[in-house]
Amino acid sequence: MHIESDLKLDFSDVLIRPKRSTLRSRAEVDITRTFRFRHPGSEWTGFPLIASNMDTIGTTRMARALVQFNAMAALHKHYSADTLVEFFANEDSRNTFYTMGNTDADLEKFTYVKSKAHLTKLNIDVANGYTENFLENVARIRAASPDAILMAGSIVTAEMAEALILAGADIVRVGIGSGSVCTTRDLTGVGYPQLSAVIECADAAHGLKGHVCSDGGCTAPGDIAKAFGGGADFVMIGGMLAGHRECGGEIRYETRDGEDVPVAMQFYGMSSDTAMKKHYGGVAEYRASEGRTVDVPYKGCVSETMQEITGGLRSMMTYIGAVRLKEVPKRTTFVITSSQRDKLFNK
Ligand code: 5GP
């Protein structure tokens, strides 16, 4: 047994210190980035926020809405092959990742869709990115798709970020147990404070010309700002996009003054009972549900939430004097909040 006693931080443990700046307005800042990817050598420019591949969030409607902001989406993996072929034939799919798991059926479906559509962005999504089998699959998919931008995860430690990049990933997804409807930490005791995971994995990945995507744990635009400040190249969000018109799932209505008004939507983890029943007919006997099901208030069109996110980020950049998103980590100083310091140092 080993105890790691270094300080490890979550988004809520810190604030970003303001810095003197010559910027006069948030309109002067640029929230897009241009990346050159390690394996294909290709470039992508845009706002590096990704809608999570949860079946309520990573929908084709969400992808079409986010591309208006030059942001990205990872489609969920439960669409039929034909729906995916049709979607990826469209120009609106340019910022969208095709998502697959680690099973033979996932590989078979991928091979079929790839034979019919040009897939430029791939996302290999497993709950536990620490298995040899996963690394082998990343290498196999890289070999089969040398020109694609390949994202893979999830992991939370530097050595695994390096292993994934060397196996063929361009972007490593960082986050275990950090999701808003995830119960992995409660059920298994496994996890890693998200901000520290991002800082440590980004350092390792950048040394190899790879990139990282902070996945999970953002509850407000300020958390997205902190993830970029910690060195995340991309930020993936689920819960912050839940409850919108572009989401999958039923809208719950209430009758008010004789009118049916939308009030809530269901949102659930992809390992929750709800998702397992929907896609696999139930939770397999050898595993337990690692996700929650919640009702979230109905929020209407996602464009308002996106305005709030981009507005928050622009404002944070003016506070720290970063003209471009790329400069944000260099200009970020995190301050541990005093309430957290008391807790962390047991005062
Ligand atoms: P959020 O932005 O809601 O905090 O986190 C979204 C992330 O939570 C997803 O991108 C995914 O990595 C993770 N996630 C989604 N569903 C589940 C689940 O059922 N169990 C676990 N452990 N993680 C989940």
Side-chain angles (χ1 to χ4, degrees):
M1 193 271 292
H2 178 71
I3 295 181
E4 209 173 303
S5 52
D6 292 354
L7 185 62
K8 304 290 176 194
L9 300 165
D10 262 317
F11 297 133
S12 60
D13 296 327
V14 300
L15 289 169
I16 299 167
R17 195 174 77 183
K19 284 203 169 79
R20 259 182 91 165
S21 141
T22 53
L23 283 163
R24 275 169 305 183
S25 151
R26 53 182 88 172
E28 288 176 37
V29 307
D30 177 7
I31 59 167
T32 66
R33 282 200 64 179
T34 297
F35 298 107
R36 178 175 286 278
F37 295 100
R38 176 187 158 118
H39 295 281
S42 57
E43 283 191 358
W44 176 84
T45 300
F47 175 39
L49 184 83
I50 312 178
S52 170
N53 53 268
M54 300 167 79
D55 66 356
T56 48
I57 306 297
T59 64
T60 52
R61 278 187 88 185
M62 185 66 80
R64 287 197 178 96
L66 294 202
V67 83
Q68 307 303 322
F69 290 82
N70 220 348
M72 310 182 96
L75 285 195
H76 69 74
K77 62 181 184 188
H78 300 289
Y79 281 116
S80 73
D82 291 333
T83 304
L84 290 165
V85 169
E86 197 185 321
F87 177 77
F88 281 104
N90 196 295
E91 169 60 7
D92 282 351
S93 71
R94 63 185 179 278
N95 284 354
T96 308
F97 286 85
Y98 172 94
T99 301
M100 71 190 104
N102 212 23
T103 66
D104 290 346
D106 289 320
L107 274 177
E108 217 171 281
K109 183 170 159 191
F110 167 60
T111 308
Y112 173 79
V113 177
K114 188 172 175 296
S115 72
K116 306 265 180 194
H118 185 47
L119 303 177
T120 57
K121 296 172 190 67
L122 308 176
N123 170 33
I124 314 178
D125 170 66
V126 297
N128 170 6
Y130 282 79
T131 67
E132 284 302 309
N133 172 257
F134 177 56
L135 273 179
E136 285 161 16
N137 251 344
V138 169
R140 205 171 303 143
I141 289 159
R142 164 52 65 210
S145 315
D147 299 330
I149 296 162
L150 180 53
M151 175 160 71
S154 288
I155 56 95
V156 284
T157 49
E159 89 285 359
M160 212 56 205
E162 288 171 352
L164 278 171
I165 289 165
L166 294 174
D170 298 299
I171 308 166
V172 176
R173 260 171 84 173
V174 177
I176 291 183
S178 51
S180 57
V181 280
C182 159
T183 56
T184 296
R185 290 179 185 178
D186 296 339
L187 191 79
T188 67
V190 175
Y192 209 94
Q194 184 65 11
L195 179 61
S196 288
V198 168
I199 294 170
E200 292 165 26
C201 292
D203 189 45
H206 294 162
L208 291 173
K209 299 202 180 326
H211 296 95
V212 296
C213 173
S214 172
D215 175 20
C218 290
T219 57
D223 291 339
I224 296 174
K226 289 172 189 175
F228 283 127
D233 302 291
F234 297 83
V235 178
M236 180 175 275
I237 55 173
M240 284 183 68
L241 295 177
H244 292 97
R245 204 167 63 188
E246 293 79 0
C247 293
E250 297 276 302
I251 301 175
R252 190 159 58 74
Y253 291 84
E254 267 175 22
T255 309
R256 290 181 190 163
D257 300 328
E259 246 185 74
D260 284 344
V261 182
V263 288
M265 283 187 90
Q266 203 182 45
F267 175 54
Y268 46 83
M270 290 310 291
S271 308
S272 64
D273 284 356
T274 309
M276 290 293 165
K277 270 190 205 122
K278 188 167 172 189
H279 300 297
Y280 305 106
V283 181
E285 250 172 53
Y286 59 87
R287 58 183 295 172
S289 148
E290 283 185 35
R292 252 192 306 273
T293 300
V294 296
D295 257 4
V296 294
Y298 183 70
K299 299 175 199 143
C301 185
V302 76
S303 61
E304 270 178 44
T305 299
M306 285 300 290
Q307 298 275 7
E308 204 176 288
I309 291 172
T310 53
L313 194 58
R314 284 175 184 284
S315 184
M316 169 268 202
M317 288 168 68
T318 50
Y319 271 117
I320 64 168
V323 181
R324 279 176 284 277
L325 188 54
K326 188 178 181 194
E327 296 163 19
V328 164
K330 260 187 285 170
R331 297 195 63 88
T332 294
T333 301
F334 287 119
V335 187
I336 299 175
T337 60
S338 40
S339 58
Q340 289 305 322
R341 200 170 40 224
D342 291 351
K343 235 196 303 178
L344 293 163
F345 297 114
N346 214 8
K347 282 191 183 145

